[in-house]
Amino acid sequence: MKKKIILIGILIGFGLILNAETIDWLSYPTNPYLAARGGAFILKRDFSNIIYNPSVLPMIKERGVILSGSALSFGRNIAEIGISTRLEGNVCPFFALKYNLISGFEEADRFGTQTGTKFSISRIAFFGGFSYRFGRRPVSASLSFKYFLNDYYQNKGEGYGVKLNATVFLRKFSIGIFVDNLAQVITWDTGLEETEPIVFGSSFLYRITDKLRAGLIGQCNFSIFLSKDDDDPSANFNYGLGLEYDINKKFNIGVGSMNQNISFGITYKKNKISINYGFQIERNFVGINNLLGFGYRF
């Protein structure tokens, strides 16, 4: 046990000193359960991963719905909703929506003088696809399609993309890989077309102690995100670290760090309903984020 705690401390210390960039808004975890744990638990068999890693869905016996809202610093508000069902043959189709509103901007003229006119930026994304478990093997994969609309004051754009996830679930150790931004393109009303760099990533989950056993640590996940950038390959390195502990059958607490922010949260479960609260302190203490979400299994 002592060696495991030392190893976790080394991993957390290594992650905190890394210089990382911000993940794009589509893949940045704003679900309160994930955000509170550093965005690292994307291998958890939970419906909070409908957007971020839907390959876990075939490992969940029930169908599920999630709804969450986030009040972030600097006038940012994000909402998520998702639903997953189950078909014959280990197939789980899913659908999700993510909405982002950034307000508080004021128009200025060419001399930098504010005119008093307020405006905001809004973005909406639709996710859909299916996940599949390969027979009775502890291996699953998913294919996600993304379509999103951006409204940047005077400029509007639309885009699309594809994401692949694959996960292997073992007794105490799970590993996942993903490829994001496949064929992801944004077309603006000005005629400009932007292509997003492909993102490669992997994630790990290790169950340090069995659930509800005595101990100070429940589960640990160390996650690394890497993106391919032809101009500067080191510019888009991201990481997430998280720990969580089951206090009892109803309450779970977690802490984490993603790209030098600090986060913690609590989950309450009763019957088929779950309530998640997350709190984030952004890097260098520049802002405070509050996140609240609900889930229902049916």
Side-chain angles (χ1 to χ4, degrees):
M1 184 66 180
K2 184 177 180 181
K3 292 181 178 179
K4 294 176 181 177
I5 295 176
I6 293 174
L7 175 60
I8 294 168
I10 292 173
L11 292 177
I12 294 176
F14 175 72
L16 290 175
I17 62 174
L18 294 175
N19 184 16
E21 299 296 323
T22 301
I23 303 174
D24 71 276
W25 77 282
L26 293 175
S27 58
Y28 191 87
T30 48
N31 179 279
Y33 172 81
L34 293 176
R37 293 152 180 81
F41 278 76
I42 60 175
L43 296 183
K44 189 72 177 287
R45 305 178 196 190
D46 191 89
F47 289 107
S48 59
N49 277 313
I50 286 179
I51 292 178
Y52 309 101
N53 181 16
S55 69
V56 304
L57 299 178
M59 300 297 178
I60 306 174
K61 295 180 179 180
E62 303 94 342
R63 300 169 176 85
V65 176
I66 59 162
L67 173 65
S68 66
S70 308
L72 311 184
S73 55
F74 308 111
R76 297 169 295 166
N77 294 280
I78 298 180
E80 293 182 9
I81 185 171
I83 182 170
S84 172
T85 186
R86 180 177 293 277
L87 302 178
E88 294 296 331
N90 293 333
V91 177
C92 292
F94 60 88
F95 176 81
L97 180 149
K98 188 171 186 176
Y99 177 71
N100 179 209
L101 175 66
I102 309 174
S103 58
F105 295 101
E106 186 170 345
E107 188 183 62
D109 58 26
R110 62 191 182 94
F111 300 106
T113 303
Q114 294 181 332
T115 63
T117 302
K118 302 284 186 178
F119 68 95
S120 61
I121 292 174
S122 63
R123 302 177 290 196
I124 186 170
F126 302 91
F127 301 82
F130 63 90
S131 52
Y132 177 73
R133 180 177 180 178
F134 296 90
R136 294 187 176 182
R137 300 179 182 89
V139 181
S140 61
S142 63
L143 175 64
S144 305
F145 300 94
K146 298 179 284 186
Y147 175 74
F148 47 94
L149 300 170
N150 295 335
D151 186 351
Y152 288 0
Y153 188 34
Q154 296 179 341
N155 296 323
K156 294 178 173 59
E158 61 177 347
Y160 58 86
V162 177
K163 182 177 182 179
L164 299 174
N165 286 85
T167 308
V168 179
F169 301 91
L170 303 176
R171 186 171 179 269
K172 284 195 173 185
F173 182 79
S174 299
I175 182 171
I177 59 173
F178 65 84
V179 183
D180 200 359
N181 293 356
L182 286 172
Q184 186 152 311
V185 177
I186 304 175
T187 303
W188 298 94
D189 54 5
T190 58
L192 177 66
E193 186 176 275
E194 297 179 343
T195 301
E196 297 290 324
I198 295 177
V199 177
F200 299 93
S202 63
S203 52
F204 309 90
L205 176 66
Y206 178 67
R207 192 174 75 238
I208 299 173
T209 60
D210 291 333
K211 291 185 177 180
L212 305 182
R213 279 184 56 183
L216 297 177
I217 302 175
Q219 296 185 359
C220 171
N221 180 36
F222 175 60
S223 183
I224 299 177
F225 308 91
L226 298 174
S227 65
K228 180 182 178 182
D229 191 324
D230 295 334
D231 296 329
D232 186 0
S234 64
N236 293 320
F237 178 80
N238 297 277
Y239 76 93
L241 298 169
L243 294 170
E244 72 173 7
Y245 175 64
D246 292 308
I247 300 176
N248 51 43
K249 292 183 178 180
K250 293 184 178 180
F251 288 96
N252 172 287
I253 56 175
V255 296
S257 174
M258 169 175 266
N259 295 352
Q260 299 179 354
N261 68 21
I262 301 171
S263 57
F264 66 87
I266 186 169
T267 296
Y268 173 76
K269 292 183 179 181
K270 185 174 183 180
N271 298 327
K272 297 182 178 181
I273 299 174
S274 63
I275 302 174
N276 292 284
Y277 171 74
F279 179 84
Q280 279 184 336
I281 302 174
E282 295 201 34
R283 66 172 76 181
N284 299 323
F285 294 87
V286 297
I288 299 295
N289 302 327
N290 287 279
L291 311 97
L292 181 65
F294 302 89
Y296 179 72
R297 297 183 179 219
F298 59 93

